Amino acid sequence: MVMARRSDLLVCTTLECETKEEMVASMEKAKEEGADLVELHLDSMSFSHISEVEQLLSQRTLPAIVSFRLNSSRKLSGGGECRRSRCLQVLRLAVQLDVEFVEIDLEVALDVGITDFLNERSNSKIIVSSYLNGGRPSKEKLGNLIACQQSTGADVIKLVVDVVYITDVAPLFHMLAHCQVPLIVRAVGDRGLISQLLGPKFGAFLVCGSLGGTSTPGLPPIVSIKQVYKLEHINANTKVFGLISNPVGHSKGPLLHNPAFRHTGYNGIYVPMLVDDIKEFFRVYSGTDFAGFSVGIPHKEAAVECCDEVDPLAKSIGAVNTIIRRPTDGKLVGFNTDCEASITAIEDALIENCLKIQACNLIMKELIASELILSKLEETKERQVANGEASHSSPIAGKVFVLVGAGGAGRALAFGAKNRGARVVIFNRNFERAMALAQAVSGEALPYECLDTFRAENGMILANASAVGMQPNCDQSPVSKVLSLSLSRTHTRNMEALGSYQLVFDAVYTPRNTRLLREAAEVGAVVVSGVEMFVRQALGQFKLFTDGLAPEDFMRHTVLQQF
């Protein structure tokens, strides 16, 4: 699939400022970030005379949509009639000044009509807008509302809808695809983000973004629209991929998969999807264009039940992190790329550390000078675990593998460690979940409160598969660096709780260098960032998404740039 570029997509941002000077400055910032036009909410601006609005509109440096909301939170003396009069005054001025778009609330359009606006305009396009708050509008209700908006004679119609669930966005996509006049849609709230990112696939000519690189609920930053998603490449044939998770804001997947799609010429887009009910999500978004999904917290185990088929490894683990909709029959097939990604990252770090120690001690100098060590490392990286059997040459074999977390990622690590011959010990806040997982991998479960004091032997491996330490809680760590032990009423001894671990792995990758990893490095442990697992599992996912090879060098380079 070749990606075509469209030149007619407009990227807009909304400006709500109290003064004319702030409006002008914000407009300049929007222009710098790549916005094609701005929506000026003039109801937010304080002005004593209409001439101030005229000055602003005359000084605009970008094409604009002028709007004046009757339900604005800003108070005007004189009450509702004063607001309505001010609204009509501002909108008529915008038409007289030939502003590109003038937006009129449906309530106003039905009350006073828009014939005068249509007759007075030269080039201005009239938008009739409607805002739906509360409820979950059906296709039928939206269709009736759009018909009412169209009956006013508007050039463009606009729908802004508060959504409760991500599935509430689907009817908006249907309206975009079937509306007979240009339609602007926006789903308000975190779960409405895909209304902007996927809108162009369903025919949207305009998408909205937030200013300043920060996300507004339901709006991606303009810089992301322009640099990460490049929505001008999206069309009706684009395949949709995304991360199903809750929360989802921490995901770096879009930063990796979208450039990789473009690099390989694959017509796809990868978006964050804040999903509450995964079964309902798949019921609603059942089209073949919704082609593949990463699965994150807390859905990895529940996702197994959503699949028509599950890969044997994922089935044994009891968790999937990747789902593909098979093109031939539309069935959902589940996989787990977390397992090999995390375990091989740990194995390779152990082997590389061993080689460094050998080099530092000048042991086997001739062997180091030869290419045998490099050959050994390459053989390790190419090792595959067949049929889930233990690889006895693994550096993990025989070691105590301490696992924190018994969710989807924890299950992948537990089964991977077991298959490599490690002794798995599991800690989880929910002890019953820890026991269930321990039983599945013939391991051991211990109370979470015992994690700091657990010292079965030196040289253990610690793997954090919980969300402890993830943004925004970057100051947290599942294991204390130093533990104070009471020897008597008057004497205590400090013990390095992390000192028994040869290697510490953290599946958390936001931030890249978590508190756990920093403190583990300080006591001399080998540390492996969740970024390495992220890259490896993403490579596996990309191959499944595209039914081809992933551009490994390009994707690794992208991660180094973006993370």
Side-chain angles (χ1 to χ4, degrees):
M1 293 185 293
V2 179
M3 302 178 69
R5 182 185 177 91
R6 55 182 291 182
S7 58
D8 58 343
L9 181 69
L10 299 176
V11 178
C12 177
T13 191
T14 299
L15 304 184
E16 298 186 50
C17 306
E18 290 190 5
T19 67
K20 175 174 70 72
E21 291 73 23
E22 289 173 345
M23 281 284 193
V24 172
S26 296
M27 203 179 312
E28 281 300 315
K29 187 174 183 181
K31 188 175 182 179
E32 291 172 5
E33 292 189 9
D36 300 303
L37 75 163
V38 290
E39 179 175 353
L40 305 175
H41 277 192
L42 295 185
D43 53 276
S44 68
M45 194 173 98
S46 176
F47 57 92
S48 57
H49 194 272
I50 193 67
S51 61
E52 295 177 55
V53 176
E54 184 174 0
Q55 290 174 11
L56 169 65
L57 298 182
S58 299
Q59 293 175 17
R60 68 186 188 278
T61 55
L62 280 174
I65 301 171
V66 168
S67 66
F68 195 106
R69 299 163 298 173
L70 292 178
N71 60 351
S72 171
S73 58
R74 201 173 76 82
K75 302 296 184 182
L76 285 177
S77 59
E81 279 305 314
C82 179
R83 177 173 292 279
R84 181 179 292 267
S85 175
R86 178 68 63 89
C87 169
L88 293 174
Q89 185 184 27
V90 166
L91 297 181
R92 287 196 173 101
L93 175 63
V95 169
Q96 292 168 10
L97 295 177
D98 220 15
V99 173
E100 289 75 16
F101 296 93
V102 177
E103 180 178 329
I104 304 173
D105 285 348
L106 177 60
E107 177 186 344
V108 176
L110 293 176
D111 184 28
V112 303
I114 65 170
T115 303
D116 290 345
F117 291 98
L118 294 173
N119 292 336
E120 293 173 9
R121 67 175 176 176
S122 295
N123 297 305
S124 297
K125 299 291 185 183
I126 304 300
I127 302 172
V128 170
S129 60
S130 185
Y131 294 74
L132 296 180
N133 300 316
R136 302 178 64 184
S138 63
K139 290 180 183 178
E140 181 180 6
K141 181 177 180 180
L142 290 175
N144 291 336
L145 179 57
I146 286 175
C148 181
Q149 291 173 278
Q150 284 184 251
S151 71
T152 64
D155 301 299
V156 181
I157 57 179
K158 177 179 177 181
L159 282 176
V160 180
V161 182
D162 281 329
V163 295
V164 180
Y165 302 107
I166 194 171
T167 47
D168 296 339
V169 184
L172 294 177
F173 290 148
H174 181 82
M175 295 301 115
L176 271 174
H178 294 89
C179 190
Q180 296 178 7
V181 298
L183 172 63
I184 300 170
V185 300
R186 180 185 164 195
V188 179
D190 291 325
R191 290 154 181 81
L193 182 64
I194 62 171
S195 70
Q196 303 309 300
L197 297 180
L198 301 183
K201 174 178 172 60
F202 298 95
F205 77 95
L206 180 148
V207 296
C208 299
S210 58
L211 198 58
T214 58
S215 288
T216 300
L219 293 181
I222 293 176
V223 289
S224 293
I225 292 174
K226 291 288 187 176
Q227 299 174 17
V228 177
Y229 298 103
K230 295 186 181 291
L231 296 184
E232 66 271 17
H233 294 290
I234 306 306
N235 54 50
N237 297 319
T238 300
K239 295 295 184 183
V240 177
F241 303 87
L243 171 64
I244 295 172
S245 187
N246 188 358
V248 75
H250 66 282
S251 173
K252 303 296 185 184
L255 298 175
L256 183 59
H257 286 290
N258 287 302
F261 283 143
R262 293 190 291 271
H263 180 77
T264 57
Y266 188 89
N267 189 4
I269 184 172
Y270 185 98
V271 300
M273 298 171 170
L274 182 55
V275 174
D276 299 283
D277 185 334
I278 189 170
K279 287 186 178 180
E280 179 67 4
F281 174 86
F282 283 121
R283 186 192 69 79
V284 172
Y285 295 103
S286 57
T288 55
D289 278 355
F290 284 82
F293 310 90
S294 307
V295 183
I297 297 171
H299 299 305
K300 292 186 179 185
E301 293 168 79
V304 175
E305 300 301 319
C306 298
C307 295
D308 299 295
E309 298 176 16
V310 179
D311 177 75
L313 174 62
K315 184 177 289 187
S316 67
I317 294 172
V320 302
N321 77 317
T322 311
I323 296 177
I324 303 300
R325 180 171 273 117
R326 195 160 53 203
T328 54
D329 56 13
K331 289 189 174 181
L332 298 175
V333 185
F335 301 87
N336 193 303
T337 64
D338 281 340
C339 182
E340 282 299 297
S342 55
I343 294 300
T344 58
I346 292 171
E347 288 177 321
D348 288 352
L350 286 171
I351 291 172
E352 290 177 17
N353 184 64
C354 178
L355 298 181
K356 288 179 182 177
I357 292 174
Q358 290 177 351
C360 291
N361 292 335
L362 299 179
I363 298 173
M364 301 175 69
K365 187 174 183 179
E366 291 183 1
L367 179 62
I368 295 171
S370 72
E371 295 183 356
L372 290 179
I373 286 181
L374 292 177
S375 175
K376 179 180 178 183
L377 182 57
E378 288 302 314
E379 289 174 6
T380 300
K381 290 183 177 180
E382 295 172 1
R383 180 175 60 250
Q384 301 293 325
V385 178
N387 301 321
E389 295 176 357
S391 174
H392 295 294
S393 61
S394 169
I396 294 175
K399 288 185 174 291
V400 174
F401 191 96
V402 177
L403 174 64
V404 184
R411 294 187 69 86
L413 278 156
F415 276 85
K418 173 206 172 186
N419 291 339
R420 298 304 206 264
R423 173 192 161 196
V424 181
V425 181
I426 302 165
F427 294 86
N428 191 66
R429 292 189 188 278
N430 185 324
F431 187 56
E432 292 182 357
R433 285 176 63 88
M435 288 193 296
L437 179 55
Q439 185 175 7
V441 297
S442 302
E444 181 181 359
L446 293 175
Y448 191 83
E449 297 74 21
C450 300
L451 177 57
D452 275 349
T453 57
F454 181 74
R455 296 172 68 92
E457 62 184 38
N458 287 324
M460 299 185 295
I461 295 170
L462 173 65
N464 176 38
S466 74
V468 178
M470 181 187 293
Q471 290 177 345
N473 302 310
C474 303
D475 59 333
Q476 297 179 2
S477 174
V479 181
S480 303
K481 178 184 175 183
V482 177
L483 181 67
S484 295
L485 296 178
S486 296
L487 302 180
S488 66
R489 291 183 177 179
T490 57
H491 292 82
T492 61
R493 185 182 66 166
N494 290 334
M495 180 183 73
E496 290 183 339
L498 290 169
S500 297
Y501 295 102
Q502 179 186 2
L503 179 144
V504 174
F505 166 80
D506 199 340
V508 172
Y509 63 86
T510 53
R512 179 173 186 170
N513 193 22
T514 62
R515 177 181 174 181
L516 173 63
L517 294 183
R518 293 196 307 270
E519 295 183 346
E522 289 170 3
V523 300
V526 177
V527 296
V528 181
S529 168
V531 171
E532 183 60 32
M533 173 186 171
F534 170 75
V535 172
R536 295 184 186 215
Q537 63 84 24
L539 286 167
Q541 288 185 335
F542 196 87
K543 293 176 184 178
L544 292 168
F545 289 163
T546 60
D547 195 26
L549 295 176
E552 180 170 353
D553 291 343
F554 175 83
M555 292 177 77
R556 284 192 173 277
H557 178 70
T558 300
V559 167
L560 291 176
Q561 283 187 319
Q562 298 286 354
F563 284 61

